[in-house]
Amino acid sequence: MSDGVSMRIVSHNSLSVSAEMNQELSAKNNSYITAYAVFLGFALAYFWYYLPQDFSYTDEGYLLGLGHRMALGQLIYVDFNFLRPPLSPIIQAVFIKTFGSGYTVLWSKIYWAIQATATVIIASYIYREWMSRPLFTITLIATLLYSTLLFAFPWYTYDGMFFASLFVLSVFRTRFLLAGVFAGLAFLCKQGFLALLPLTFGFLFVLTLFETGNWKLQTRNLLRATLGWGIPVAICSIAFLMYGAFDEMITNIFILPQRVNLTSLNFILFQDLPIVVTNFAVPALIVLGLYLLRSFVVIRLVLILALAISLSDTMLNSKNDLPQFMITTIYLVSFLSLFENLRKIRQKKCDQLTLRNHTLALALGITLLYVASINYCGVVFSYVGGVVALPMLFVVLSNSIGPIANEFRSAERTMLETFLKKGLIPYLVALGVLTLCFLAHHKFPYSRGPRSALSSEFATPKLAGIRGRSSIVVTIDSLVNYILVNTSDRDSIFTFPALTSLCYLTDRPAWGRTHWSYYREYDTIMAKHTVSRLLSAPPSLVILENPDSSSLVWEAVRKNKVIEAVVENFKLVDSVVGFMCYRPAKREAENRENIAGDTN
C-alpha cells in the first residue's frame, strides 16, 4: 500500500473518530439541556404557585426595610445598625432606588427565586458528570426544594450562597483568583463565609499531602485566591473609610454580634451539632449500617426503607426536623466517603483524577453546608448550603454507598445487585427527599398556620399580588392606611420591636439606629441609646406592638426602658388593630394649636 493511500486511510479514520466524539459530546450537551429545561419548567410552576403566598412583616421586611433606608440616603452602620456585612442591604437599596415603588414585595420574592434557582444550576456543574440524566434532573429539583425549605424572601445567607457556589465552581476549575473574588463577595454578605478560604485550602493542603503533590503550586493558588478575596473587601473598606464609617463597620460586623448574642466560641464553631446527632441517633445509625453492610443488597434495601420511614416521621413533627435530619445524614455519609477516598488516594488505587475530583466535591459540599450554619440560630438553617452536599449524597448512593472509586472495580455483579446498587437506591432516596421537602414546604409556611389560611389579598400597593392570613392582612393594611393618612413623607417613624417592613411599605423614613429589636440583635446598651434619642430627637410617630404578646421578642424587650420612655414622654393618640400609636407630647400640642389657628 502506498504512503498516500495510508495517509488517506488514517485521515479518514481520524475524521470518523472526531465525528463520533462530536456526536457523543452533542448528545451529552442535549441531555443536559433537557434536564435543565425540565428543572426550569418545574421551578417556574413551583414559584408561580407558592411565591404569592405568605408574608412575614418581621423577617421578610428586614432587608427591604434596610434597603429602603439606604435608598432614602441613610448610611448603613452610621444611621442604623446591621450586625452583618453590608452587601445584602446594598443590593436591595439598588433595586428600590432603581425601580422605586415598582419594586414590590412580590418582585423581591422573584429576585430571591431567580437567585436560588441560579445557585442550584451553578452548583450542578460540579457533580453532573457522575449522574445519569434522569437522576440529575430529579436531583436538581430536590436540591431546589431542600435549599428553599423555610425561607421565601431575600436573605443574606442566600446572597452569600450564590457567590459561594461561584467560588466552589471556580476552585473546581482551578481559577483561584476568580474564586477569591467570589469568596470575598460571599463574606460581604455574611461573616460566616469568611471561613470559605481557610477551610477550602486547608483541605486542599491535606489532599496534596495524601497525593504527595506540588506544595509550591498549592501555595501559589492560595496566594492568588487571597489576592482575589482582597479586591471586593478592599473596595468596600475604602468606600466606608471615605464616608468615615470604617470603625462603625468593623464594630457592627465583628464586635456587636458577640456582645449582643452572648454566644460562646464553641457554639459559633460547632453550633448545636452534638444535640442534632443525639436527637437523630437512629437515622445516623441507619446510614452507618448502609455503609458497613454495603455488600449485602437485601439488607441495604431494608435499611433504605427504614431510613425513609424515619425521615417521614421526623418531618411530621416540625418544620425544623427535616433539615436537621438531612444535615446529620449528609455529614455522616460525606465524612465516611471522604475517609475512604483519601485512603484510596494514598494507596494510588483507581482513577486518581476522578477520585480526586469526587473527594474535592465532597469537601466543598461539606464546607458550604458548614459556613451556611454559622449564625446564632444554630445548625437548622444550614440547609441553604446544601446545594452541593445534598447532590453528592445521591452520587455516593449511586456508587454503592461508598466513594465513586468503588465503581472502577472489575468485580462481577448479578443483575439484581447492579439494579439495586446503581438504579433503584439513588432514585428512591432522591425522590423521597424531593417528596418530603415538597410536603414540608406545603405544610409549614413561614408564618405559622395552615397554608389554606393564606387566602386574603393585601390592599397595600407594595403587597399587590401577595396573599396572607386574614389577621395579618387586616393588621398591615390598617397600619399602612393610618400612616399614610396621618403623616407626611418627611415624618420619621419608630416601630418597636418588630415591624421591620412598615416604613418601606409606606415610603416613610425609619427612625433610630436599631431597625429590628430582635432579642438576639438588641441589648440593654442599644436600648439606652434608643431611650436617649427618644428624649433628645424624638420621631414623629411611634408604633408599639401589643406588649401582652408572649413572643421571645417581648420577653427580651420588657427588660429595657424603651416602652417606659415612650409611655412617659409621648402621647397615646390612637390604637390601630391592637398597635399603640404615640406622638411626642410637645408636637401633639403644636398640632392642636395649628389646627385651632386654621379653624379661626
Side-chain angles (χ1 to χ4, degrees), residues 257-258 261-271 375:
Q258 297 180 39
N261 300 333
L262 301 176
T263 53
S264 65
L265 180 62
N266 178 70
F267 183 80
I268 292 173
L269 292 177
F270 301 107
Q271 304 294 296
N375 61 72

mmCIF file of all heavy atoms in Angstrom, residues 257-258 261-271 375:
data_model
loop_
_atom_site.group_PDB
_atom_site.id
_atom_site.type_symbol
_atom_site.label_atom_id
_atom_site.label_comp_id
_atom_site.label_asym_id
_atom_site.label_seq_id
_atom_site.Cartn_x
_atom_site.Cartn_y
_atom_site.Cartn_z
ATOM 1 N N PRO A 257 -22.057 41.507 67.296
ATOM 2 C CA PRO A 257 -22.667 40.176 67.363
ATOM 3 C C PRO A 257 -22.249 39.376 68.598
ATOM 4 O O PRO A 257 -23.084 38.693 69.200
ATOM 5 C CB PRO A 257 -22.161 39.500 66.072
ATOM 6 C CG PRO A 257 -21.930 40.629 65.129
ATOM 7 C CD PRO A 257 -21.398 41.736 65.988
ATOM 8 N N GLN A 258 -20.993 39.472 68.984
ATOM 9 C CA GLN A 258 -20.544 38.743 70.176
ATOM 10 C C GLN A 258 -21.146 39.338 71.439
ATOM 11 O O GLN A 258 -21.533 38.619 72.360
ATOM 12 C CB GLN A 258 -19.015 38.775 70.254
ATOM 13 C CG GLN A 258 -18.324 38.079 69.096
ATOM 14 C CD GLN A 258 -16.809 38.128 69.219
ATOM 15 O OE1 GLN A 258 -16.253 37.997 70.303
ATOM 16 N NE2 GLN A 258 -16.136 38.322 68.094
ATOM 17 N N ASN A 261 -25.346 38.781 71.136
ATOM 18 C CA ASN A 261 -25.841 37.410 71.111
ATOM 19 C C ASN A 261 -25.401 36.589 72.305
ATOM 20 O O ASN A 261 -26.034 35.582 72.643
ATOM 21 C CB ASN A 261 -25.374 36.700 69.831
ATOM 22 C CG ASN A 261 -25.883 37.389 68.584
ATOM 23 O OD1 ASN A 261 -26.905 38.038 68.612
ATOM 24 N ND2 ASN A 261 -25.150 37.255 67.499
ATOM 25 N N LEU A 262 -24.279 36.991 72.926
ATOM 26 C CA LEU A 262 -23.737 36.267 74.084
ATOM 27 C C LEU A 262 -23.517 34.781 73.771
ATOM 28 O O LEU A 262 -23.785 33.908 74.594
ATOM 29 C CB LEU A 262 -24.670 36.405 75.299
ATOM 30 C CG LEU A 262 -24.939 37.840 75.782
ATOM 31 C CD1 LEU A 262 -25.942 37.832 76.913
ATOM 32 C CD2 LEU A 262 -23.657 38.522 76.215
ATOM 33 N N THR A 263 -23.045 34.499 72.556
ATOM 34 C CA THR A 263 -22.780 33.116 72.168
ATOM 35 C C THR A 263 -21.306 32.801 72.351
ATOM 36 O O THR A 263 -20.440 33.634 72.111
ATOM 37 C CB THR A 263 -23.167 32.884 70.701
ATOM 38 O OG1 THR A 263 -22.520 33.871 69.890
ATOM 39 C CG2 THR A 263 -24.655 32.983 70.509
ATOM 40 N N SER A 264 -21.038 31.585 72.789
ATOM 41 C CA SER A 264 -19.664 31.167 73.039
ATOM 42 C C SER A 264 -18.958 30.838 71.729
ATOM 43 O O SER A 264 -19.596 30.585 70.704
ATOM 44 C CB SER A 264 -19.644 29.939 73.945
ATOM 45 O OG SER A 264 -20.244 28.839 73.291
ATOM 46 N N LEU A 265 -17.627 30.817 71.763
ATOM 47 C CA LEU A 265 -16.848 30.430 70.594
ATOM 48 C C LEU A 265 -17.160 28.994 70.195
ATOM 49 O O LEU A 265 -17.219 28.662 69.007
ATOM 50 C CB LEU A 265 -15.347 30.579 70.888
ATOM 51 C CG LEU A 265 -14.399 30.196 69.751
ATOM 52 C CD1 LEU A 265 -14.628 31.085 68.537
ATOM 53 C CD2 LEU A 265 -12.938 30.284 70.206
ATOM 54 N N ASN A 266 -17.407 28.133 71.184
ATOM 55 C CA ASN A 266 -17.743 26.740 70.903
ATOM 56 C C ASN A 266 -19.029 26.641 70.074
ATOM 57 O O ASN A 266 -19.114 25.871 69.122
ATOM 58 C CB ASN A 266 -17.911 25.975 72.210
ATOM 59 C CG ASN A 266 -18.310 24.522 71.979
ATOM 60 O OD1 ASN A 266 -17.527 23.720 71.498
ATOM 61 N ND2 ASN A 266 -19.541 24.185 72.328
ATOM 62 N N PHE A 267 -20.014 27.473 70.410
ATOM 63 C CA PHE A 267 -21.264 27.441 69.657
ATOM 64 C C PHE A 267 -21.072 28.003 68.250
ATOM 65 O O PHE A 267 -21.619 27.481 67.280
ATOM 66 C CB PHE A 267 -22.351 28.235 70.377
ATOM 67 C CG PHE A 267 -23.690 28.195 69.687
ATOM 68 C CD1 PHE A 267 -24.526 27.102 69.828
ATOM 69 C CD2 PHE A 267 -24.095 29.239 68.875
ATOM 70 C CE1 PHE A 267 -25.752 27.050 69.178
ATOM 71 C CE2 PHE A 267 -25.319 29.201 68.226
ATOM 72 C CZ PHE A 267 -26.143 28.102 68.382
ATOM 73 N N ILE A 268 -20.261 29.075 68.149
ATOM 74 C CA ILE A 268 -20.002 29.662 66.834
ATOM 75 C C ILE A 268 -19.342 28.644 65.917
ATOM 76 O O ILE A 268 -19.671 28.536 64.740
ATOM 77 C CB ILE A 268 -19.119 30.916 66.974
ATOM 78 C CG1 ILE A 268 -19.898 32.037 67.682
ATOM 79 C CG2 ILE A 268 -18.647 31.397 65.610
ATOM 80 C CD1 ILE A 268 -19.064 33.241 68.017
ATOM 81 N N LEU A 269 -18.418 27.848 66.461
ATOM 82 C CA LEU A 269 -17.669 26.889 65.651
ATOM 83 C C LEU A 269 -18.458 25.620 65.368
ATOM 84 O O LEU A 269 -18.435 25.098 64.257
ATOM 85 C CB LEU A 269 -16.350 26.522 66.349
ATOM 86 C CG LEU A 269 -15.309 27.638 66.443
ATOM 87 C CD1 LEU A 269 -14.100 27.150 67.215
ATOM 88 C CD2 LEU A 269 -14.884 28.128 65.066
ATOM 89 N N PHE A 270 -19.159 25.109 66.376
ATOM 90 C CA PHE A 270 -19.773 23.789 66.240
ATOM 91 C C PHE A 270 -21.293 23.820 66.242
ATOM 92 O O PHE A 270 -21.937 22.795 66.031
ATOM 93 C CB PHE A 270 -19.279 22.869 67.361
ATOM 94 C CG PHE A 270 -17.786 22.703 67.369
ATOM 95 C CD1 PHE A 270 -17.013 23.311 68.332
ATOM 96 C CD2 PHE A 270 -17.158 21.943 66.400
ATOM 97 C CE1 PHE A 270 -15.637 23.158 68.347
ATOM 98 C CE2 PHE A 270 -15.780 21.784 66.399
ATOM 99 C CZ PHE A 270 -15.019 22.395 67.377
ATOM 100 N N GLN A 271 -21.892 25.010 66.493
ATOM 101 C CA GLN A 271 -23.343 25.134 66.525
ATOM 102 C C GLN A 271 -23.939 24.112 67.499
ATOM 103 O O GLN A 271 -23.348 23.816 68.526
ATOM 104 C CB GLN A 271 -23.900 24.983 65.116
ATOM 105 C CG GLN A 271 -23.298 25.972 64.121
ATOM 106 C CD GLN A 271 -23.662 27.401 64.427
ATOM 107 O OE1 GLN A 271 -24.823 27.782 64.379
ATOM 108 N NE2 GLN A 271 -22.681 28.209 64.738
ATOM 109 N N ASN A 375 -24.353 30.928 62.452
ATOM 110 C CA ASN A 375 -25.247 32.007 62.861
ATOM 111 C C ASN A 375 -25.736 31.700 64.262
ATOM 112 O O ASN A 375 -25.474 30.637 64.815
ATOM 113 C CB ASN A 375 -26.411 32.156 61.880
ATOM 114 C CG ASN A 375 -27.254 30.903 61.795
ATOM 115 O OD1 ASN A 375 -27.990 30.578 62.721
ATOM 116 N ND2 ASN A 375 -27.151 30.171 60.692
#
